[in-house]
Amino acid sequence: MPSAGGAAVVLSSVPTAITRAVSATLNDCQLTWKKREPIDVALARRQHRAYEQALESLGVRIDQLPPLDQFPDAVFVEDPAIILDELAVITAPGTPSRAAEGAAIADAVAKYRPLQRMSPPATLDGGDVVRIGRDLYVGRSKRTNDEGIAQLRAMLRPFDYTVTAVAVHGALHLKTACTYAGHDTLLANPEWADLSAFRGVRLLTTPEPWGACVLEVNNVLVMPTNYPATRALLERAGFSTLPVDVSELQKAEGGCTCLSLLIQ
Ligand code: CIR
């Protein structure tokens, strides 16, 4: 299996999150469903640091990459790569301004896993991939096409993963519509994706439309501060939560999953 430049792969028992510092150009981000509002980039940087500290408080080591001002959305590192146990996939982000982000992050990801790379006409954003154990659910969205899903399935054929397509409508990514909270529970806004494809999970419906995107780290759900009803629902259901204020990154249609690539 190819690995970028034959680089040695780091095997570590400490969970690590690859992050990337906020671009000075964040105000030029892509927007699909939200209206453009001015983003306070200095505040976005402080919030991004606080997000990293929240992950550190959960025992995660941060591997922060430098900002890439030529890519306004580069802080959203989840989209150009998928990191699994045996390999990482450099995706083909499905909007032209982000298409080259895969090449920009490949060397950093290759430190941890052997790489596979998608090629045209595939498009796929990592934000469309919800992993539940060995099952990957992949949103068919404005960013991810059938060829992207087919290439991912072919790359993973030698390994013991299933790849199931899920129709996404009304949300940017599958992870905007639903995320796996752990304990066989899918947190979801059922309006935004066809959840019938999911097997063996119970559904927890978020009372706030954008509240379904949470990041599970060591049994704690990292989530935005501004979905208190969703947080209360999760706590009542027995989950531990850790709210972080990511308001400026939310203006760019980001959330808590897209700001890191977790290697566990
Ligand atoms: C974009 O449209 O690509 C960025 N403005 C937001 C990407 C957020 N990514 C994610 O939730 N996985």
Side-chain angles (χ1 to χ4, degrees), residues 144-161:
T144 296
N145 63 15
D146 286 331
E147 179 63 23
I149 298 171
Q151 284 192 18
L152 182 64
R153 188 177 286 120
M155 284 170 187
L156 299 186
R157 197 156 288 137
F159 306 98
D160 184 24
Y161 292 99

Side-chain angles (χ1 to χ4, degrees), residues 10-241:
V10 176
L11 292 176
S12 165
S13 55
V14 180
T16 297
I18 297 176
T19 63
R20 188 181 289 289
V22 174
S23 301
T25 51
L26 181 62
N27 273 286
D28 299 325
C29 66
Q30 287 293 318
L31 289 178
T32 306
W33 298 99
K34 291 197 173 175
K35 284 212 180 81
R36 195 166 293 280
E37 290 180 69
I39 298 173
D40 179 337
V41 174
L43 178 55
R45 289 195 169 124
R46 289 198 295 278
Q47 291 178 343
H48 186 253
R49 183 65 201 125
Y51 168 87
E52 291 175 328
Q53 285 167 342
L55 297 191
E56 284 171 337
S57 78
L58 298 174
V60 174
R61 183 182 76 89
I62 301 294
D63 181 359
Q64 196 199 67
L65 308 178
L68 290 176
D69 291 343
Q70 68 273 38
F71 299 124
D73 285 303
V75 67
F76 303 120
V77 286
E78 174 179 64
D79 295 317
I82 303 163
I83 301 185
L84 298 170
D85 300 347
E86 303 83 355
L87 78 164
V89 177
I90 300 301
T91 70
T95 191
S97 71
R98 304 198 62 189
E101 284 184 30
I105 205 164
D107 284 352
V109 175
K111 283 196 303 186
Y112 300 97
R113 294 286 186 274
L115 297 188
Q116 298 263 9
R117 294 167 200 263
M118 291 191 166
S119 54
T123 66
L124 189 144
D125 278 13
D128 272 318
V129 180
V130 171
R131 179 178 177 184
I132 304 180
R134 307 294 293 185
D135 297 322
L136 302 189
Y137 295 89
V138 185
R140 189 189 290 111
S141 69
K142 286 180 188 292
R143 297 290 176 84
T144 296
N145 63 15
D146 286 331
E147 179 63 23
I149 298 171
Q151 284 192 18
L152 182 64
R153 188 177 286 120
M155 284 170 187
L156 299 186
R157 197 156 288 137
F159 306 98
D160 184 24
Y161 292 99
T162 70
V163 173
T164 304
V166 179
V168 175
H169 32 75
L172 179 59
H173 290 127
L174 183 58
K175 277 187 181 164
T176 331
C178 63
T179 50
Y180 184 59
H183 304 283
D184 299 326
T185 303
L186 191 71
L187 180 69
N189 173 349
E191 303 289 312
W192 286 351
D194 176 6
L195 304 178
S196 62
F198 284 87
R199 297 175 294 272
V201 287
R202 68 168 173 149
L203 184 66
L204 215 50
T205 299
T206 171
E208 290 136 329
W210 289 78
C213 189
V214 298
L215 175 67
E216 190 270 317
V217 181
N218 291 337
N219 269 316
V220 176
L221 302 178
V222 181
M223 62 180 296
T225 46
N226 53 351
Y227 302 123
T230 303
R231 184 178 179 209
L233 176 78
L234 287 164
E235 294 273 345
R236 275 199 308 277
F239 291 93
S240 300
T241 62

